[in-house]
């Protein structure tokens, strides 16, 4: 793991507060303006919420990345939960497997971030990677 990576274990819904704080801090360190700091923290919060809600535990790793001379923030959320059987379906607005949810989380994360990838296998968990470039 990179030395600048911040790993946050998730076991409880309150653990996402540390994800939000860390995401804002790293975004500021990478030179993102305040609006983008909030957007990055929102994306990180949504991914952390999903880990706890659907898998009960997992982690979020946040880090500053560099490609050529461009800085960015990478968010990786991983769990060993039930996984996603139909990724295309969960990426549609207004689809949710949770009662009372708007079903906007993952599609919103994809819209906020510049790069987005989800890998999942039912019964083996999910890994979501999202990058925002400055």
């Amino acid at each position: 793991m990179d030395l600048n990576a911040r790993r946050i274990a998730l076991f409880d819904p309150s653990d996402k507060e540390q994800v939000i704080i860390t995401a804002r801090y790293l975004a500021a360190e990478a030179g993102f303006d305040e609006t983008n700091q909030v957007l990055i923290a929102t994306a990180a919060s949504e991914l952390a919420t999903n880990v706890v809600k659907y898998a009960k535990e997992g982690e979020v790793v946040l880090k500053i990345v560099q490609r050529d001379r461009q800085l960015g923030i990478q968010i990786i959320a991983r769990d060993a939960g039930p996984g996603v059987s139909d990724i295309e379906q969960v990426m549609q607005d207004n689809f949710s497997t949770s009662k009372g949810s708007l079903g906007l989380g993952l599609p919103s994360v994809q819209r906020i971030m510049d790069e987005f990838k989800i890998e999942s296998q039912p019964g083996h968990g999910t890994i979501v990677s999202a990058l925002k470039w400055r």
Side-chain angles (χ1 to χ4, degrees):
M1 183 182 296
D2 281 303
L3 293 177
N4 76 353
R6 306 292 195 278
R7 180 190 167 278
I8 300 160
L10 302 169
F11 299 101
D12 184 84
S14 65
D15 293 331
K16 80 175 184 179
E17 297 306 318
Q18 189 60 46
V19 171
I20 294 166
I21 291 165
T22 304
R24 289 236 17 208
Y25 172 79
L26 289 176
E29 285 290 305
F32 284 94
D33 63 25
E34 195 167 324
T35 299
N36 280 298
Q37 291 173 34
V38 170
L39 288 171
I40 291 164
T42 300
S45 174
E46 177 58 37
L47 294 176
T49 297
N50 282 356
V51 167
V52 175
K53 182 187 271 186
Y54 297 108
K56 307 300 182 224
E57 63 183 62
E59 69 177 5
V60 169
V61 178
L62 299 129
K63 62 183 172 178
I64 297 173
V65 295
Q66 185 171 355
R67 183 185 297 160
D68 299 319
R69 293 182 174 204
Q70 188 175 26
L71 289 178
I73 297 289
Q74 182 177 35
I75 307 166
I76 300 169
R78 67 172 66 94
D79 64 64
V84 177
S85 59
D86 189 342
I87 291 173
E88 190 174 311
Q89 189 175 39
V90 300
M91 293 308 299
Q92 294 177 14
D93 281 332
N94 304 312
F95 175 81
S96 178
T97 58
S98 292
K99 189 173 184 166
S101 172
L102 296 175
L104 298 173
L106 288 175
S108 293
V109 172
Q110 185 176 35
R111 281 189 289 273
I112 289 169
M113 304 300 279
D114 297 319
E115 298 178 27
F116 180 91
K117 183 169 126 181
I118 182 170
E119 299 174 32
S120 188
Q121 186 176 13
H124 297 282
T126 303
I127 300 171
V128 178
S129 176
L131 278 149
K132 180 78 169 172
W133 295 105
R134 200 181 71 194

